[in-house]
Amino acid sequence: MKLAARIAQVPASMTLAIAAKAKAMKADGIDVLGFGAGEPDFDTPEHIKAAAKKALDEGKTKYGAAAGEALLREAIARKLYRDNQLAYNAENVLVCNGGKHSLYNIFQTFLDPGDEVIIPAPYWLSYPEMVKLASGVPVIVQTDLSENFKITPSQLKQAITPRTKFFVLNSPSNPTGIVYTPAEIRALANVILDSQVWVISDEIYEKTLYDDAEHLSIASLGRELFERTFVSNGFAKTYSMTGWRVGYVAGPVEEIKAMTRLQSHSTSNVCTFAQYGAIAALEGSQDCVTEMLSAFAARRKVMLDYLNAIPGLECPQPDGAFYMFPSIRKTGMRSMEFCDALLASHQVAAVPGIAFGADDAIRISYATDMDTIRKGMERLDDFVRSRLA
Ligand code: GLU
């Protein structure tokens, strides 16, 4: 059957495709090392699983409110106040099927054909596709290594037109791992305040920060920004709950109600008992978050040491998330060719930078165990050296 135009123009998610390919190769007995998807390798903490099991046993198996369980919406509002100084009520919160779905709902609800969305590149690969699926126009603003991959206030200002509806801010960033400093967030906020543009602040990696990096939600910078920002977040990365599919968006009440209408005709509520696990994640001990973070920090250090020792790669030090985004410019290869050859000859799976709008880089996730990291980086070293020789 002929595809609808909106789907015909959208490729499958390359992060998911590469992760699936690596898993399939492993199942076939191939010794492949996967650095594709950003998926923490830890099990979901016990107390979170126990809360979901209890909810199941208590019969939390029926349809729930489309916007999410009241108790979870309240817990999220408390979290946003406690951690981010954002004074939301439960009615400001919509629980969605993961962070990806929160963003999808925003674009579907607010974009009309031709509406523009400013997206700094390198970007998380689903942003432009979701904008296109909503008939919007992604306006990509290229940043590069020399600016530490950060959009500057003047770049943002220049990209704004009368058709601009949203600016997507993702800090800590997937795929680069950069974190905007509070001063940089304030400078971008000033540009936004001089315009009519709304912000989508994707804060899914807010807890994955290293050294002195700080997370500041742009929505916390005064009443006007608070009322013109959607904060998107979820449980997958912070609590190793990727398969649970629980995320959320917070914003002004009328806008949240409109998104709830969309959700009521598409997915209805998020899996009811999974939401009780999410409540336990927010209200229970946060020691699990600290433990996972210290494992990520150790892996980051080891991976960075390896990458910095590979001639021909240039890797900025990431301050957050769990990705390295080394430049492969000096190898003379484009990112697709590089990743295909790396997988074929050394059985290492990485994501080509072209998927994130940067064809001279690759993304390597360190949300995997230390042994895999060491072996994988040795293979990568060997691969790059053989190509440079
Ligand atoms: N966000 C993760 C990644 O970038 C998970 C995969 C996906 O949804 O794209 O790898």
Side-chain angles (χ1 to χ4, degrees):
M1 186 187 268
K2 185 174 171 289
L3 295 178
R6 67 179 168 278
I7 282 294
Q9 59 169 348
V10 170
S13 164
M14 211 187 289
T15 46
L16 298 186
I18 287 173
K21 188 169 177 184
K23 268 186 197 160
M25 285 171 77
K26 233 182 205 157
D28 283 347
I30 301 168
D31 172 29
V32 65
L33 302 172
F35 298 93
E39 173 162 44
D41 55 319
F42 308 105
D43 196 3
T44 302
E46 274 312 317
H47 68 281
I48 299 175
K49 291 199 286 186
K53 287 180 200 163
K54 184 164 173 274
L56 251 182
D57 289 341
E58 285 173 355
K60 300 277 195 291
T61 55
K62 305 289 184 199
Y63 290 134
E69 293 293 286
L71 289 175
L72 177 56
R73 295 173 81 197
E74 283 160 18
I76 291 168
R78 277 194 295 278
K79 175 262 176 251
L80 289 167
Y81 185 67
R82 183 179 69 224
D83 294 356
N84 311 106
Q85 295 76 54
L86 300 171
Y88 291 118
N89 296 314
E91 59 180 355
N92 294 101
V93 175
L94 172 66
V95 181
C96 305
N97 288 276
K100 189 181 269 178
H101 188 228
S102 309
L103 299 163
Y104 184 85
N105 279 343
I106 296 172
F107 295 130
Q108 287 292 330
T109 308
F110 300 105
L111 293 185
D112 274 322
D115 283 347
E116 295 174 3
V117 178
I118 298 173
I119 303 173
Y123 47 73
W124 179 51
L125 77 182
S126 292
Y127 297 145
E129 307 309 334
M130 290 194 283
V131 169
K132 287 190 255 164
L133 283 168
S135 308
V137 179
V139 174
I140 308 298
V141 177
Q142 212 65 45
T143 69
D144 68 27
L145 194 57
S146 63
E147 294 152 342
N148 219 358
F149 294 124
K150 290 175 180 177
I151 188 172
T152 63
S154 67
Q155 279 180 307
L156 176 58
K157 195 171 181 164
Q158 274 169 29
I160 294 174
T161 76
R163 292 307 307 263
T164 309
K165 202 111 187 212
F166 289 115
F167 165 51
V168 179
L169 178 62
N170 173 218
S171 178
S173 149
N174 174 7
T176 63
I178 62 108
V179 179
Y180 286 83
T181 64
E184 288 162 345
I185 299 270
R186 282 193 188 93
L188 294 174
N190 287 337
V191 177
I192 294 295
L193 286 172
D194 277 344
S195 73
Q196 301 300 310
V197 174
W198 282 53
V199 181
I200 298 172
S201 186
D202 181 353
E203 306 185 5
I204 191 86
Y205 293 97
E206 67 159 333
K207 299 289 180 194
T208 316
L209 294 170
Y210 310 104
D211 303 331
D212 301 327
E214 256 178 78
H215 173 73
L216 176 73
S217 176
I218 193 166
S220 68
L221 298 177
R223 193 77 219 162
E224 203 181 330
L225 268 165
F226 181 68
E227 284 169 0
R228 257 207 271 157
T229 300
F230 290 113
V231 174
S232 175
N233 206 329
F235 297 84
K237 314 295 182 182
T238 305
Y239 300 100
S240 203
M241 291 171 66
T242 46
W244 292 60
R245 308 317 297 140
V246 192
Y248 56 90
V249 54
V253 172
E254 288 312 312
E255 281 71 14
I256 291 294
K257 277 189 191 156
M259 276 185 268
T260 308
R261 290 211 302 273
L262 168 68
Q263 189 154 288
S264 76
H265 286 294
S266 50
T267 55
S268 305
N269 60 286
V270 171
C271 169
T272 311
F273 50 88
Q275 294 187 56
Y276 286 85
I279 295 171
L282 291 180
E283 310 268 275
S285 162
Q286 300 299 299
D287 289 354
C288 54
V289 179
T290 319
E291 280 159 28
M292 289 190 257
L293 182 62
S294 70
F296 288 137
R299 294 161 179 192
R300 163 179 172 265
K301 188 174 178 322
V302 167
M303 190 179 261
L304 201 57
D305 286 349
Y306 271 107
L307 288 175
N308 284 334
I310 302 178
L313 296 189
E314 288 167 277
C315 191
Q317 176 160 313
D319 296 319
F322 32 64
Y323 306 104
M324 298 282 171
F325 202 64
S327 164
I328 55 165
R329 206 167 30 93
K330 289 186 182 155
T331 67
M333 280 181 271
R334 309 314 295 163
S335 61
M336 208 59 145
E337 179 195 356
F338 186 103
C339 289
D340 282 348
L342 178 65
L343 185 61
S345 68
H346 286 67
Q347 292 77 49
V348 170
V351 188
I354 195 163
F356 310 101
D359 202 12
D360 58 357
I362 59 167
R363 192 191 77 173
I364 311 173
S365 159
Y366 51 94
T368 189
D369 64 278
M370 201 65 111
D371 195 41
T372 301
I373 289 173
R374 287 187 198 282
K375 276 198 216 144
M377 293 306 101
E378 275 158 25
R379 289 189 198 176
L380 178 65
D381 185 309
D382 190 68
F383 171 76
V384 175
R385 282 176 204 271
S386 71
R387 294 294 164 140
L388 289 174

